[in-house]
Amino acid sequence: MWAGFEYFKPATLKEACLLLAKYKSEATVFAGGTDLLVSMRTGGTKPRYLIDIKAIPELSRIKYENEQLTIGAAVTINALAQSDVIGKKFDIITEATKVFASVQIRNRATIGGNLCRASPSSDMVPPLLVLDAMLTAISDKGERDIPIKDFFIGPERTSLEQGEMLKEIRVPTPPQNMGATFLKVRRTGVDLAVVNVAVAVELSENKFKDVKISLGAVAPTPMRALKAEALLKGEACTDENIERAAEMASSETSPITDVRSTAEYRREVSRVLVKRALKNAIQKVGGR
Amino acid sequence: MEIKTTVNGRLYKLDIPPNWSLAYVLRKKLGLIGIKLGCETGECGSCTVLLNGEPVNSCLVLGVEADGKEILTIEGLSKNGELHPLQKAFIEHGAVQCGFCTPGMILSAKALLDKNPNPTEQEIREALAGNLCRCTGYVKPVKAILSVRK
């Protein structure tokens, strides 16, 4: 049993936005509840108004049109895992869903909740970072786009403003010659990441035409390793270059020591995972 | 709030406060105490029920969210006094020690077999990953589930 709250289940986006505008900081968007309801039980979160967004049709839809994937904020992790189009064209997202918590949690947790919770160790964020996803926020005043790289401003903090909620995530189809992969190290089967890494490489004649490297659980927010990316762009796909980039990526992290791991271990695992992910991604696209 | 929900094949009209979890509603209102409350934070899986056929932790679902949905609990598995094949297999393989995790494990297994009647051992282990046993382990439950594959 939780502390008392009022429960709303709006059927339209407009209704949800009006409720958010009306109750301001006392309102909380409720999607899968796998973090929120835990935090309401053990973490002292006490919303007065819960706004359940799962009855809003467009928020539970996965759409693929004009080479663009659109995922509604209330789509569950298991719905992503089971989507054919995501498996075919965005398999790095599928890879992340497979190592995301337990079946029970995946049936409830949503992509929007995972993003808005802004946990540094989120499994869904690094793949969306290397795929250059665009997020749409909505409020009673209208919509605005936020590139995913600008969405996270600190642990559990996003650039959403009061009265705004996440509406959808849009992902452009990766080019044919792009390979992307997601890797995660964790203590046990269903744990959060000690480190996770997403990599996307675009090759041209065995050179890196473009590279994106993202890491989770090693900085206050999920991060891009921009210096490591710069090292590789235009360079040949050699083991030495990959090794150098992996070391650079590791040096760009700023991990902490906590219950899951030490900072030192996280730094070392970052290096190893980036190297492995780069090699996997290259293999996927048929390089070397 | 008033909700209508089908539990183990029967339609119920219930009047419940929004701050009750589904686990609490099913235990307190319908006496379905096969749903165990362990961690109540979505870690242990002992409160697993099938919501529209999918396993969820009923401690992390609001009771009001069950409105219009179908729920299956361990109490709904047997038919005409005869145990479900999974229940029989758990008994035959000694896959039960204290029994606290058993209802959740069996429901997770049922959801898996409904979708994939012939899973590999690895797929069974992944399906049970959200159901923790603190007595002894997973070898016998996995063997029990393997034995009812089609």
Side-chain angles (χ1 to χ4, degrees), chain A residues 128-142:
Chain A
L128 294 174
L129 271 169
V130 300
L131 292 172
D132 260 338
M134 182 65 88
L135 312 182
T136 305
I138 187 167
S139 70
D140 64 328
K141 295 183 185 69

Side-chain angles (χ1 to χ4, degrees), chain A residues 92-112:
Chain A
I92 184 173
I93 295 178
T94 312
E95 286 173 7
T97 62
K98 298 244 157 98
V99 292
F100 186 107
S102 65
V103 180
Q104 288 95 322
I105 297 292
R106 295 201 289 268
N107 276 328
R108 293 280 297 168
T110 64
I111 181 84

Side-chain angles (χ1 to χ4, degrees), chain A residues 1-5 7 9 30-34 37-38 41-42 50 52 54 78 82 102-105 107-108 190, chain B residues 1 18-21 24 40-42 45 48 51 54-57 59-62 64-65 108 126-127 129-131:
Chain A
M1 223 186 307
W2 293 276
F5 52 79
Y7 173 80
K9 194 163 195 174
F30 170 51
T34 54
L37 293 177
V38 175
R41 193 162 264 145
T42 62
L50 274 197
D52 186 340
K54 294 191 290 293
N78 256 350
Q82 287 157 12
S102 65
V103 180
Q104 288 95 322
I105 297 292
N107 276 328
R108 293 280 297 168
V190 296
Chain B
M1 287 178 77
N19 62 329
W20 282 22
S21 69
Y24 201 77
E40 289 191 73
T41 52
T48 300
L51 185 66
E54 303 282 359
V56 299
N57 295 313
C59 72
L60 292 188
V61 178
L62 300 180
V64 290
E65 291 184 81
S108 285
E126 278 169 23
N131 294 90

Side-chain angles (χ1 to χ4, degrees), chain B residues 33-55:
Chain B
I33 56 174
I35 298 158
K36 304 302 177 197
L37 291 177
C39 66
E40 289 191 73
T41 52
E43 312 262 1
C44 77
S46 62
C47 66
T48 300
V49 302
L50 303 192
L51 185 66
N52 287 352
E54 303 282 359

Side-chain angles (χ1 to χ4, degrees), chain A residues 30-274:
Chain A
F30 170 51
T34 54
D35 279 316
L36 176 64
L37 293 177
V38 175
S39 159
M40 283 166 60
R41 193 162 264 145
T42 62
T45 309
K46 287 198 179 91
R48 283 192 59 187
Y49 305 97
L50 274 197
I51 302 172
D52 186 340
I53 57 168
K54 294 191 290 293
I56 303 170
E58 51 267 63
L59 295 190
S60 297
R61 247 179 244 152
I62 299 173
K63 226 171 41 185
Y64 185 72
E65 266 173 17
N66 304 326
E67 305 284 295
Q68 181 173 265
L69 176 71
T70 305
I71 308 170
V75 169
T76 65
I77 303 302
N78 256 350
L80 295 176
Q82 287 157 12
S83 155
D84 286 338
V85 65
I86 293 177
K88 276 194 199 111
K89 293 182 188 277
F90 306 85
D91 67 328
I92 184 173
I93 295 178
T94 312
E95 286 173 7
T97 62
K98 298 244 157 98
V99 292
F100 186 107
S102 65
V103 180
Q104 288 95 322
I105 297 292
R106 295 201 289 268
N107 276 328
R108 293 280 297 168
T110 64
I111 181 84
N114 193 249
L115 292 177
C116 293
R117 162 113 166 99
S119 161
S121 66
S122 158
D123 286 331
M124 301 317 299
V125 173
L128 294 174
L129 271 169
V130 300
L131 292 172
D132 260 338
M134 182 65 88
L135 312 182
T136 305
I138 187 167
S139 70
D140 64 328
K141 295 183 185 69
E143 298 189 8
R144 76 180 167 115
D145 284 345
I146 310 171
I148 189 167
K149 66 178 172 49
D150 301 329
F151 190 65
F152 305 100
I153 56 176
E156 296 174 24
R157 290 183 58 216
T158 71
S159 53
L160 285 180
E161 284 161 19
Q162 194 174 88
E164 271 187 329
M165 60 180 240
L166 184 62
K167 180 188 166 205
E168 64 193 17
I169 297 109
R170 278 172 291 133
V171 193
T173 303
Q176 284 286 330
N177 55 345
M178 192 185 100
T181 201
F182 177 79
L183 297 175
K184 171 179 179 178
V185 163
R186 52 185 169 177
R187 294 177 306 175
T188 63
V190 296
D191 200 11
L192 299 176
V194 164
V195 179
N196 59 23
V197 166
V199 156
V201 300
E202 214 182 315
L203 298 187
S204 166
E205 291 168 7
N206 237 8
K207 278 188 178 164
F208 291 103
K209 193 172 158 211
D210 195 11
V211 186
K212 293 197 181 72
I213 302 170
S214 167
L215 299 100
V218 291
T221 67
M223 57 169 279
R224 284 269 298 276
L226 296 173
K227 288 182 190 163
E229 293 176 7
L231 267 185
L232 289 177
K233 266 174 217 168
E235 299 296 322
C237 292
T238 63
D239 283 348
E240 299 78 66
N241 284 339
I242 290 170
E243 186 71 54
R244 275 201 315 148
E247 269 167 34
M248 178 59 86
S250 166
S251 76
E252 290 178 74
T253 66
S254 51
I256 57 165
T257 294
D258 66 7
V259 59
R260 288 193 177 78
S261 179
T262 61
E264 291 80 0
Y265 185 69
R266 284 195 160 103
R267 231 173 260 123
E268 178 60 10
V269 171
S270 297
R271 184 182 69 79
V272 174
L273 283 191
V274 168

